[in-house]
Amino acid sequence: EVQLQASGGGLVQTGGSLRLSCVASGFTFAYAIGWFRQAPGKEREGVSSIVPSDGRIYYADSVKGRFTISNNNTKNTVYLQMNSLRPEDTAVYYCAATFLGDHPDYDWWALYEYDYWGQGTQVTVSS
């Protein structure tokens, strides 16, 4: 059974940092993990994604240079280190996963690519 458990959200001031964690279980083949966020009244958007088996990493332009995605295979955990946080980063953050299987290329930013979703974790950045 595939399960994703996201954690690490909280309240920080502008310029602060948070590290989100996504513990993934039940994966036996190549997969990708994505981080998405959804602010009130806005659509869910892709933030970053990683393919642990080959190291491919992707970022949204809005977070490049501030956020870093990484993985720890021994802990089956993907991290999203968020630095220089801004009020516009305030959102519920979700991790999601998809098996890559026979299609190693994927639209990392697209919700339809991901079959499994964890619960969200709230990130609030105060000005």
Side-chain angles (χ1 to χ4, degrees):
E1 180 185 4
V2 172
Q3 289 188 334
L4 300 170
Q5 182 72 36
S7 63
L11 172 65
V12 295
Q13 293 184 334
T14 296
S17 298
L18 282 173
R19 189 178 77 161
L20 305 183
S21 300
C22 177
V23 179
S25 60
F27 292 92
T28 56
F29 300 99
Y31 62 95
I33 296 288
W35 282 102
F36 290 77
R37 65 186 181 187
Q38 188 166 18
K42 295 188 177 181
E43 295 185 350
R44 193 170 298 188
E45 64 175 359
V47 174
S48 183
S49 183
I50 188 169
V51 181
S53 60
D54 63 21
R56 280 180 285 162
I57 287 175
Y58 307 95
Y59 295 104
D61 288 344
S62 59
V63 306
K64 280 182 181 176
R66 301 189 298 123
F67 290 12
T68 303
I69 194 170
S70 62
N71 69 285
N72 184 324
N73 287 334
T74 59
K75 294 184 178 180
N76 294 325
T77 302
V78 170
Y79 303 100
L80 185 67
Q81 178 66 45
M82 306 186 296
N83 298 330
S84 301
L85 283 163
R86 306 166 180 169
E88 54 264 38
D89 295 317
T90 295
V92 178
Y93 283 70
Y94 300 89
C95 63
T98 182
F99 287 110
L100 297 181
D102 295 331
H103 59 287
D105 297 320
Y106 69 115
D107 294 332
W108 74 267
W109 66 90
L111 276 70
Y112 64 76
E113 287 280 13
Y114 297 84
D115 300 311
Y116 306 95
W117 291 82
Q119 88 293 357
T121 184
Q122 177 71 46
V123 171
T124 302
V125 185
S126 63
S127 57

